[in-house]
Amino acid sequence: MGHRALIFDSGMGGLSVTQHIRAHMPGLAMTYVADDMFRPYGNKSAQALRARLPGLLATLEMATQPDIIVLACNTASVTALSEIRAAVGAPVVGVVPAVKPAALTSRTRTLAVLGTPGTVKRKYVDDLIENFAGDCRVLLQGSTALVALAEDKMSGRGVDMDILRREVAPLFERRFGADIDTVVLACTHFPLLVDELKQVSRQTINWVDSGEAIARRVTSLLSKRPENRRMEPPDCALLMGPDAELARRDVFAQYGFKRVVGLYPNI
Ligand code: DGL
């Protein structure tokens, strides 16, 4: 008896959100889906994501019967949240950049939003900045390579620190970059790299992500929904595409997904 959540991302980034949700709701049953075959989302057009995601989430909802869907992907949320909500029945919690908490705490009033190229160019993010960080200077930086580095780390391949440095250093070299005291990790893959990010940044930074706020929102929404009476099967990760890497299975197991299943959908 209880609730089941469907956690969705293009890859393993959603695990950075999962850990907060597990801490808040240890008894919550979860199904994790990684859309490996379409990653990275961050360099896909808005049109391509809007064409793919509503139908895919509706299919996954039918297959997994969740009480709540966590769109653990900033790129998907800022691009297609309303289209996805219209396609599914369960409530959808979308992870979006934590601009508001970042603006509340920045002393220098100079923030950066480090996300995928797709995320940092969407109007959704412009609106967040206008509404919650109107008195701040906000530098936007997009990176697709960091997504791949996070996947490398979670697959046991290690992180290429030269690439990481090359992706992040220009942010602090830009005009006003030296004033940045807060960086919004606006891609769920990036909190998985926070230790490495700290190693390559020369100034003291408050790294902010949305994981904790999402966990609170999920807890609050589920507390208002009746519990289901199913016997829940063990938590499972469904990987859309081939899954050859055993290290990856170990990581999913560490996050509570004891079963990992590779799917080869024809979509
Ligand atoms: N983890 C995703 C996000 O939060 C997207 C990564 C990608 O596939 O580009 O934006």
Side-chain angles (χ1 to χ4, degrees):
M1 271 215 351
H3 294 114
R4 169 165 295 274
L6 169 62
I7 316 288
F8 180 87
D9 182 36
S10 65
M12 298 176 87
L15 291 176
S16 71
V17 180
T18 299
Q19 67 187 27
H20 291 281
I21 299 174
R22 287 225 188 268
H24 278 251
M25 302 192 75
L28 178 65
M30 292 191 200
T31 310
Y32 190 101
V33 177
D35 190 7
D36 287 332
M37 62 199 301
F38 210 62
R39 190 182 59 252
Y41 281 6
N43 65 4
K44 304 289 188 303
S45 68
Q47 204 184 14
L49 292 170
R50 287 182 192 132
R52 178 179 184 82
L53 294 175
L56 175 55
L57 267 303
T59 304
L60 292 170
E61 179 183 40
M62 254 186 298
T64 64
Q65 299 287 305
D67 300 286
I68 196 161
I69 296 173
V70 181
L71 201 53
C73 175
N74 292 260
T75 313
S77 300
V78 301
T79 308
L81 191 53
S82 49
E83 290 85 349
I84 291 168
R85 283 197 170 127
V88 300
V92 180
V93 177
V95 176
V96 299
V99 171
K100 185 178 176 183
L104 285 173
T105 52
S106 170
R107 286 168 189 273
T108 61
R109 315 309 291 150
T110 308
L111 322 171
V113 176
L114 182 62
T116 66
T119 293
V120 298
K121 68 175 179 229
R122 296 284 181 263
K123 183 175 180 303
Y124 196 112
V125 174
D126 293 340
D127 292 346
L128 282 178
I129 292 169
E130 193 180 310
N131 292 334
F132 299 115
D135 67 331
C136 293
R137 192 170 273 134
V138 182
L139 285 76
L140 299 171
Q141 179 100 352
S143 171
T144 302
L146 289 179
V147 175
L149 291 184
E151 289 287 329
D152 283 347
K153 178 175 178 180
M154 302 303 268
S155 306
R157 289 191 292 269
V159 177
D160 186 325
M161 294 300 284
D162 291 334
I163 300 180
L164 188 100
R165 205 169 283 113
R166 212 165 56 219
E167 289 296 303
V168 177
L171 174 60
F172 300 105
E173 283 154 16
R174 282 166 61 179
R175 189 155 176 246
F176 305 116
D179 298 333
I180 297 168
D181 69 349
T182 307
V183 175
V184 179
L185 296 173
C187 168
T188 53
H189 279 79
F190 299 172
L192 302 171
L193 292 172
V194 74
D195 292 336
E196 290 80 3
L197 290 166
K198 284 179 185 163
Q199 278 175 47
V200 302
S201 39
R202 270 176 253 143
Q203 58 214 60
T204 305
I205 297 291
N206 183 22
W207 306 91
V208 180
D209 68 65
S210 309
E212 184 59 32
I214 293 295
R216 282 200 302 269
R217 180 86 185 123
V218 169
T219 307
S220 148
L221 285 173
L222 285 178
S223 71
K224 293 178 201 117
R225 287 178 78 85
E227 297 195 356
N228 63 52
R229 298 183 172 277
R230 292 181 304 235
M231 281 295 290
E232 294 288 356
D235 288 357
C236 177
L238 307 175
L239 311 182
M240 296 181 45
D243 175 44
E245 280 155 328
L246 289 175
R248 222 177 167 210
R249 291 178 174 247
D250 291 343
V251 173
F252 274 112
Q254 283 161 25
Y255 282 82
F257 299 96
K258 301 289 179 221
R259 291 167 58 204
V260 178
V261 178
L263 299 174
Y264 298 85
N266 187 22
I267 49 173

